[in-house]
Amino acid sequence: MSLRRIMVTAVRNLHPVTLSPSPRINILYGANGSGKTSVLEAVHLLGLARSFRSTRLNPVIQYEQPACTVFGEVQLAEGGTSNLGVSRERAGEFTIRIDGQNAKSAAQLAELLPLQLINPDSFRLLEGAPKIRRQFLDWGVFHVEPRFLPAWQRLQKALRQRNSWLRHGTLDPASQAAWDRELCLASAEIDEYRRNYIKALKPVFERTLSELVELDGLTLSYYRGWDKDRELQEVLASSLLRDQQMGHTQAGPQRADLRLRLAANNAADILSRGQQKLVVCALRIAQGHLVSQARRGHCIYLVDDLPSELDDQHRRALCRLLEELRCQVFITCVDHELLREGWQTETPVALFHVEQGRITQTHDHRE
Ligand SMILES: Nc1ncnc2c1ncn2[C@@H]1O[C@H](COP(=O)(O)OP(=O)(O)OP(=O)(O)O)[C@@H](O)[C@H]1O
Ligand SMILES: [Mg+2]
C-alpha cells in the first residue's frame, strides 16, 4: 500500500495542505518546530486513529480549531484505490470513514494502512515493559495471520470472565471450567500463531541486523507467557490460589514477551543508544518484509528524525535497507543534505520543505 494523496487540516501547526507523495522515498526537512513530526503524526492518525506522541488526542488539534481531519487516498496492493478519512473533534467525537462509509473499528484502518513507526522513542521497544514488545509481536501476527484477531478477541473475553470470577467468585464451578477450557483453547491458538511468526521473523531479522550493524551473538527469543513444558490448564490449576489473591490470571499469552539478549545479558542493558536504534530498525524492517511476503501489500514507514544518533555509515546502511523494502517511506530530518544523495537513480524521491507549518515540495519524484 502507499498513499497517493494526503489532505491534512488543523493538525498541530500545519496549514491546510494536500500532498502528493512519492510511492517510495519522501523526505521532509526543515527547522526545529517547523511541523515535520506533525506530518508523520497526521499519517499515523489516518492509519491508527491515534497519535504516537500522546495518548490524548486533543493536543493534536490545532489551537482554536474545533476538529482535525486527515484524508488519504491509498493505492491498494490488489489494484484500485481506497479513500480513508479520520476526523477528531475537541469534544472527543471520532469519525472514521472508509470509501464513504462509517467504519466501526480502527482495525479496519490498520488493515488498509499498515504503518511502521521509527522515532527517537523507539528504544522503548527494547527497554520498556513487555506490553510494548507484545504489541510489536501482535502487530506482525495480525498482518500476516487473519485468524489471529478472532482468537485474540476470544482470549480477551475468556480472560475478563476468569478475572471477574477470581475477584467475585460468582460463577458456578462447571460454567467457570467451560470458560477455562475456552481460555486454554484460544491461548494455544494464539501461541501457535505467535510462535510461527517468530520462526519466520527471526532469520529475516538476523539478516537485516547483520546488514545494519555488527552485533554478533544478539539473540531474539519468544516467551509464550507460561512454562514451556507445561500445559496452560495445569499451570492455571496450580496457581489458582495465587491468582485469587492477586485478583487476576498470572500466566497465559497476556504475559508473552520477546527477549533480546547479548552475551547473557538483556540487550537493552548493554547496547548504546545508536545500537538500540539499529536493532529496533532491523526488527521493524524485518516485519515489513514479512508483510510483503504474505502478499498483503506493503507497509508504510514513518521514520522521524532518521539521522539522529546514527553516524554516516549506519545512516547510509539504514537508508539502503529502507530503499530495498520497496515500500513508501516518510523520513524527517533537519538537514536534508544528509539524505539527499545516495538513493538509486530509479528510486522516486520527493523532497518537502516544512517551514512554520507550511509545506513546499522542492523536488518532485516525477521530474
Ligand atoms: N495543537 C497545536 N496547535 C498549534 N501548534 C501546535 C500544536 N501542538 C504543537 N504545536 C506546535 O507545532 C510545531 C511543530 O511541531 P513538530 O513537532 O511537528 O516540529 P518538528 O518540525 O518535528 O520539530 P523538531 O525538528 O524539533 O522535531 C511546534 O512549534 C509546536 O509548538
Ligand atoms: Mg520532530
Side-chain angles (χ1 to χ4, degrees):
M1 275 66 104
S2 64
L3 280 161
R4 296 220 307 207
R5 240 155 41 96
I6 312 164
M7 284 163 71
V8 185
T9 318
V11 169
R12 300 222 187 240
N13 73 332
L14 298 177
H15 289 261
V17 69
T18 301
L19 301 174
S20 302
S22 152
R24 299 286 301 284
I25 306 293
N26 296 279
I27 299 170
L28 299 139
Y29 65 96
N32 293 138
S34 56
K36 305 176 298 293
T37 302
S38 304
V39 178
L40 301 193
E41 213 172 4
V43 176
H44 197 271
L45 211 57
L46 190 62
L48 288 153
R50 58 183 161 84
S51 161
F52 55 82
R53 268 201 265 194
S54 107
T55 46
R56 292 173 303 119
L57 268 172
N58 271 351
V60 182
I61 305 171
Q62 195 160 88
Y63 309 141
E64 294 171 19
Q65 293 293 323
C68 67
T69 310
V70 187
F71 285 110
E73 188 183 316
V74 183
Q75 175 74 52
L76 299 172
E78 61 273 20
T81 58
S82 194
N83 290 305
L84 310 184
V86 169
S87 175
R88 155 83 190 206
E89 284 175 30
R90 221 166 254 289
E93 190 81 3
F94 225 112
T95 321
I96 301 176
R97 307 267 296 171
I98 301 177
D99 293 323
Q101 307 280 327
N102 282 335
K104 281 179 222 70
S105 83
Q108 284 173 274
L109 282 178
E111 211 167 335
L112 284 168
L113 208 63
L115 294 179
Q116 282 285 355
L117 173 71
I118 297 169
N119 71 1
D121 269 351
S122 288
F123 66 90
R124 290 190 206 287
L125 182 60
L126 304 183
E127 277 194 8
K131 185 178 174 190
I132 300 176
R133 285 177 295 281
R134 264 197 312 276
Q135 280 171 347
F136 166 85
L137 168 64
D138 289 346
W139 183 96
V141 189
F142 169 78
H143 282 290
V144 303
E145 173 52 80
R147 292 172 296 178
F148 176 73
L149 185 61
W152 191 84
Q153 285 164 338
R154 279 172 50 215
L155 171 75
Q156 299 309 313
K157 197 168 168 194
L159 207 51
R160 268 198 308 275
Q161 181 64 42
R162 185 170 198 271
N163 289 342
S164 153
W165 171 71
L166 288 170
R167 280 192 284 265
H168 313 296
T170 42
L171 207 62
D172 64 276
S175 308
Q176 188 47 45
W179 275 108
D180 273 6
R181 269 196 303 281
E182 166 72 355
L183 180 72
C184 292
L185 284 173
S187 298
E189 212 179 312
I190 286 168
D191 176 43
E192 186 195 333
Y193 301 147
R194 284 175 172 168
R195 205 158 9 94
N196 289 342
Y197 182 74
I198 291 300
K199 210 166 137 193
L201 184 76
K202 234 170 104 84
V204 186
F205 164 65
E206 283 163 6
R207 193 181 64 234
T208 309
L209 187 69
S210 71
E211 285 174 36
L212 266 182
V213 59
E214 255 182 66
L215 280 175
D216 288 341
L218 186 106
T219 58
L220 167 70
S221 61
Y222 160 64
Y223 167 66
R224 66 175 177 171
W226 71 98
D227 192 331
K228 67 179 179 5
D229 301 317
R230 291 166 74 202
E231 295 289 329
L232 182 58
Q233 190 106 33
E234 188 192 331
V235 176
L236 290 181
S238 63
S239 59
L240 181 59
L241 207 61
R242 206 170 128 70
D243 282 358
Q244 276 170 332
Q245 282 163 354
M246 306 285 284
H248 62 265
T249 308
Q250 304 290 303
Q254 74 283 6
R255 284 300 183 90
D257 199 357
L258 291 178
R259 292 180 174 157
L260 283 128
R261 300 184 66 79
L262 186 63
N265 289 290
N266 189 353
D269 297 335
I270 302 278
L271 299 179
S272 73
R273 229 347 106 75
Q275 288 171 329
Q276 290 187 20
K277 176 162 174 167
L278 293 163
V279 171
V280 171
C281 287
L283 283 166
R284 297 204 172 277
I285 289 172
Q287 283 205 317
H289 281 296
L290 292 200
V291 170
S292 303
Q293 277 169 22
R295 295 178 193 280
R296 301 186 78 193
H298 290 295
C299 305
I300 296 176
Y301 280 76
L302 307 176
V303 191
D304 199 13
D305 209 354
L306 183 142
S308 78
E309 274 149 353
L310 301 181
D311 57 36
D312 269 10
Q313 181 208 335
H314 291 108
R315 174 172 41 78
R316 278 181 229 274
L318 174 57
C319 287
R320 194 177 57 242
L321 288 182
L322 286 170
E323 190 175 18
E324 280 170 12
L325 268 171
R326 309 188 71 77
C327 291
Q328 190 173 41
V329 187
F330 292 85
I331 296 170
T332 75
C333 57
V334 174
D335 178 8
H336 73 292
E337 291 304 328
L338 288 176
L339 292 169
R340 215 191 146 91
E341 306 299 331
W343 308 100
Q344 307 271 331
T345 39
E346 68 273 16
T347 301
V349 179
L351 282 158
F352 299 89
H353 187 202
V354 189
E355 233 176 343
Q356 294 179 2
R358 291 187 195 277
I359 306 171
T360 344
Q361 188 157 4
T362 54
H363 177 77
D364 191 330
H365 60 96
R366 286 157 298 202
E367 275 167 13

